[in-house]
Amino acid sequence: LVTPLDVIKTRLQAQSNPFPKGKCFVYSNGLMDHICVCENGKAWYKRPGHFKGTLDAFVKIIQTEGIKSLWSGLPPTLIMAIPTTVIYFTCYDQLSEVLKSRLGKDDELIPVLAGSLSRFGSVTVMSPLELIRTRMQYHKLSYKQLYMCISSKVATDGWISLWRGWSSTVLRDVPFSAMYWYNYECFKKIMCKEVGAHEPTFFVAFTSGVASGSIAAVITLPFDAVKTHRQTELWESETLKIPQRDCTSNWAIMRKIVAKNGITGLFAGIIPRLFKVAPACAIMISTYEYGKSFFSHLNEKTNQHP
């Protein structure tokens, strides 16, 4: 649902500053993002267009290319988003139950701990897959070639090389999840009391998701800027064989951004990030809560009438 926002953002970026071959950009659907490495040929982000702004781009893309173009680049996002989300939400629910039995049902630390650990786990599992997928996308490798490429990389740099760029992802996603789940559970309790509901309705979950997603997105934006910088630099060094600069630590990159653009440089892109993250978080959590409620009621009925 929020992919068109990023397609339009990418097309506007490519129009004002065309992407050369081998350069890369971050493509996001609000829930997660991945690196797209630019190639020759008529890729979706290189289609011609003279757009004056977001709304103009939205209308013109539909008129000239058809509505399907607003979902360009979605399949590779889904390939990563589905397993990431399955791991993330399943771990969150299971950890919450374990922590409730240990710390007590109403302990405020539960969403913080469960959210942080589940995000840490999903990022760690998916990080090498993201690296492999981007490499396949750029080099058009067969599975045999990919295996040879990865095994030679592991032989040279060790297994740890498959997790390059992991630290900056963790630095952004773990605090985001901790804040998101803490605020979400707080807003949900308050709103359930207000409307007199025992369990969250679709509206309660959606509103709580928007509020908690927006707060977490704004606070973690500096880490998002660092992650984007590190990921794009990493892939340009690997694909264009540009030697990586000395600036390797996350804090050094942050200082470099502040020196160049001031504190506001760390919060660049706050509006498009909010426009994507807030509805994405809201849609995700409300459909998840609704689905969980629907299936638990269905299971109760099935158990009552076997």
Side-chain angles (χ1 to χ4, degrees):
L1 285 166
V2 295
T3 293
L5 294 170
D6 215 64
V7 169
I8 288 166
K9 189 200 80 171
T10 304
R11 292 286 293 274
L12 287 167
Q13 277 180 329
Q15 173 185 270
S16 59
N17 185 21
F19 303 132
K21 187 178 187 296
K23 283 280 182 180
C24 50
F25 61 92
V26 176
Y27 179 81
S28 167
N29 68 349
L31 282 170
M32 62 170 294
D33 46 42
H34 62 260
I35 295 290
C36 279
V37 184
C38 301
E39 331 167 42
N40 283 342
K42 292 184 179 178
W44 62 269
Y45 51 83
K46 285 193 174 180
R47 286 181 197 139
H50 301 285
F51 312 124
K52 293 170 190 166
T54 304
L55 191 63
D56 186 54
F58 187 81
V59 172
K60 282 182 181 171
I61 288 169
I62 292 173
Q63 284 175 343
T64 57
E65 300 168 30
I67 199 160
K68 275 172 73 178
S69 279
L70 292 173
W71 282 270
S72 304
L74 181 61
T77 315
L78 288 178
I79 289 165
M80 297 299 291
I82 291 168
T84 303
T85 308
V86 168
I87 295 165
Y88 180 40
F89 276 82
T90 306
C91 286
Y92 179 78
D93 263 355
Q94 297 301 313
L95 283 165
S96 293
E97 290 306 313
V98 170
L99 290 167
K100 277 175 188 173
S101 64
R102 296 281 174 90
L103 303 173
K105 201 178 177 183
D106 299 316
D107 197 299
E108 290 186 349
L109 273 176
I110 289 170
V112 175
L113 289 170
S116 301
L117 290 168
S118 55
R119 177 59 86 181
F120 183 88
S122 65
V123 166
T124 304
V125 170
M126 298 308 292
S127 196
L129 296 177
E130 169 71 359
L131 202 76
I132 290 162
R133 191 193 59 74
T134 312
R135 182 155 290 186
M136 281 188 83
Q137 179 192 5
Y138 180 64
H139 290 293
K140 298 285 189 285
L141 300 170
S142 68
Y143 286 107
K144 191 178 178 182
Q145 289 170 318
L146 181 70
Y147 174 76
M148 295 299 289
C149 173
I150 291 164
S151 55
S152 65
K153 186 172 172 60
V154 168
T156 312
D157 304 324
W159 284 100
I160 202 79
S161 62
L162 295 179
W163 278 268
R164 281 184 74 186
W166 168 87
S167 63
S168 52
T169 309
V170 164
L171 193 65
R172 181 198 66 172
D173 287 1
V174 170
F176 180 95
S177 294
M179 280 182 274
Y180 174 75
W181 285 108
Y182 176 79
N183 288 322
Y184 174 73
E185 297 292 353
C186 287
F187 288 134
K188 187 172 77 172
K189 275 181 193 170
I190 293 162
M191 288 194 72
C192 280
K193 275 183 186 173
E194 288 293 320
V195 297
H198 293 295
E199 58 181 48
T201 61
F202 189 88
F203 172 76
V204 166
F206 191 91
T207 311
S208 303
V210 167
S212 51
S214 301
I215 293 165
V218 170
I219 294 170
T220 58
L221 194 63
F223 300 120
D224 190 48
V226 171
K227 177 182 178 284
T228 303
H229 184 96
R230 278 180 73 92
Q231 278 192 314
T232 51
E233 201 173 67
L234 168 68
W235 276 108
E236 282 164 16
S237 76
E238 298 227 345
T239 55
L240 295 174
K241 305 298 177 203
I242 299 168
Q244 269 201 290
R245 300 167 188 93
D246 297 332
C247 185
T248 51
S249 91
N250 293 316
W251 304 113
I253 291 167
M254 218 175 261
R255 285 197 300 272
K256 191 171 125 184
I257 293 168
V258 171
K260 191 179 176 184
N261 304 311
I263 286 288
T264 52
L266 293 174
F267 291 90
I270 191 164
I271 302 300
R273 180 154 159 82
L274 274 176
F275 267 115
K276 281 182 298 182
V277 174
C281 285
I283 293 162
M284 192 73 197
I285 196 68
S286 50
T287 49
Y288 178 73
E289 290 275 22
Y290 179 80
K292 204 162 65 167
S293 171
F294 174 81
F295 286 111
S296 66
H297 289 146
L298 191 71
N299 287 343
E300 279 173 24
K301 283 179 187 174
T302 309
N303 292 335
Q304 283 169 9
H305 308 285

